[in-house]
Amino acid sequence: MRYQRVGDIVIVRKDLTEEEIKKIVEKTKCKSIVKYVTISGEFRTQYIKLLYGEETETIHKEHGCLFKLDVSKIMWSQGNIKERERMAFISNKRETVIDMFAGIGYFTIPMAKHSKPFIYAIEKNPVAYKYLCENIKLNKLKNVAPILSDNREVKLGKVADRIVMGYVHKTHKFLDKAFSFLKDRGTIHYHETVPEKILEKRPIERVKFYAEKYGYKIIDYKIHKIKKYAPGVWHVVLDVHLER
């Protein structure tokens, strides 16, 4: 029986029998079991069915970090666990980082805790922003400035050594803003969902177009496969190092 555990809540993809529920509760000691019915909307809102228990808010621990969230309102992707770990150790205390789609702090929290740069964490979903602020406090971080806004409305200037674009729906439409944040030399971590046949081509072509538009050249880049998003479609991250 496949399930995902987030804190002390278990998430399943199908209805369960009473016997199956009993086995999961005995094995995991969870306080609730929920079934995801659908995920929709700009903010990837969860629609769930409670199969056991009543609570949907929990604190999840991962890579030495604490993440408070409500699984009925906030998405948690187990498939991104390796990328969250990779990003935790990719920066350093000399850098300024902008996380353009911070959510509850998926990348911001581990990076701030382990790499210790200064991070501007931008999130426009008020529910996710609330948990982002709580998670900054939970992890006792002083090097994160949360910003409640659409990142296209944020005016910070060219302050970023590193930019995280952890969003996969038409992410290229936010590259104009990313380059307005980037210093003369820096790194962009660009997420995208892309058909496998053009996986090695489309992400870098899109970033190259905007790089040339703003007078940057690509020093080097690497594409990382995160997980299958749909049949024949991958969620990837392009690490691209630029200068001008």
Side-chain angles (χ1 to χ4, degrees):
M1 188 189 316
R2 296 184 65 181
Y3 59 83
Q4 176 184 349
R5 182 163 184 167
V6 179
D8 48 9
I9 294 175
V10 166
I11 300 169
V12 297
R13 298 291 178 181
K14 65 181 185 69
D15 287 314
L16 303 177
T17 65
E18 288 186 11
E19 185 62 28
E20 288 173 326
I21 290 172
K22 183 180 178 181
K23 285 181 179 178
I24 289 177
V25 173
E26 288 177 350
K27 183 176 181 180
T28 66
K29 310 299 182 188
C30 64
K31 67 181 179 184
S32 297
I33 300 175
V34 304
K35 172 194 171 186
Y36 278 161
V37 177
T38 186
I39 302 170
S40 66
E42 180 185 8
F43 295 147
R44 305 293 287 159
T45 302
Q46 313 288 348
Y47 295 91
I48 69 161
K49 178 181 178 182
L50 268 166
L51 304 181
Y52 170 83
E54 297 179 355
E55 296 182 54
T56 56
E57 188 175 76
T58 188
I59 295 177
H60 183 71
K61 187 173 182 178
E62 181 181 277
H63 305 132
C65 300
L66 300 174
F67 297 89
K68 188 176 183 181
L69 70 154
D70 186 331
V71 299
S72 71
K73 300 173 182 176
I74 299 294
M75 185 175 180
W76 182 268
S77 177
Q78 194 65 22
N80 294 349
I81 186 170
K82 290 295 183 183
E83 182 63 10
R84 289 192 290 269
E85 181 179 23
R86 184 176 81 91
M87 295 303 290
F89 301 97
I90 205 162
S91 185
N92 61 70
K93 63 178 65 175
R94 298 181 302 278
E95 288 191 341
T96 297
V97 176
I98 294 181
D99 187 347
M100 291 178 63
F101 307 92
I104 66 168
Y106 306 104
F107 299 125
T108 285
I109 299 299
M111 189 186 293
K113 185 163 186 175
H114 295 293
S115 292
K116 301 185 182 353
F118 183 83
I119 304 177
Y120 292 101
I122 307 170
E123 176 54 46
K124 75 172 185 175
N125 178 348
V127 176
Y129 178 79
K130 168 184 172 288
Y131 284 109
L132 170 64
C133 293
E134 289 195 40
N135 290 331
I136 291 168
K137 292 178 182 177
L138 261 180
N139 291 278
K140 300 177 181 178
L141 299 171
K142 304 295 185 183
N143 53 331
V144 180
I147 300 172
L148 175 61
S149 178
D150 183 316
N151 59 60
R152 290 168 293 192
E153 303 300 320
V154 175
K155 294 177 173 60
L156 290 173
K158 302 182 80 62
V159 299
D161 299 285
R162 186 178 302 272
I163 297 171
V164 182
M165 302 183 72
Y167 181 67
V168 294
H169 300 282
K170 300 180 180 179
T171 321
H172 62 286
K173 292 191 174 183
F174 296 85
L175 280 166
D176 277 311
K177 193 62 186 183
F179 278 98
S180 80
F181 290 143
L182 193 67
K183 290 180 179 179
D184 287 346
R185 184 182 180 94
T187 300
I188 295 176
H189 303 283
Y190 169 79
H191 290 238
E192 185 177 316
T193 50
V194 57
E196 191 163 17
K197 290 182 180 179
I198 55 173
L199 188 151
E200 298 291 337
K201 185 178 180 182
R202 191 175 75 182
I204 189 61
E205 284 186 345
R206 281 179 163 171
V207 174
K208 184 179 179 182
F209 172 83
Y210 286 92
E212 291 176 350
K213 178 179 177 180
Y214 292 103
Y216 288 83
K217 62 180 180 180
I218 293 172
I219 302 169
D220 59 57
Y221 70 92
K222 185 174 182 180
I223 295 175
H224 303 267
K225 288 182 177 180
I226 304 303
K227 63 180 185 293
K228 273 284 183 74
Y229 185 81
V233 178
W234 279 88
H235 171 186
V236 303
V237 179
L238 171 70
D239 293 349
V240 56
H241 307 291
L242 305 116
E243 70 175 9
R244 64 175 182 174

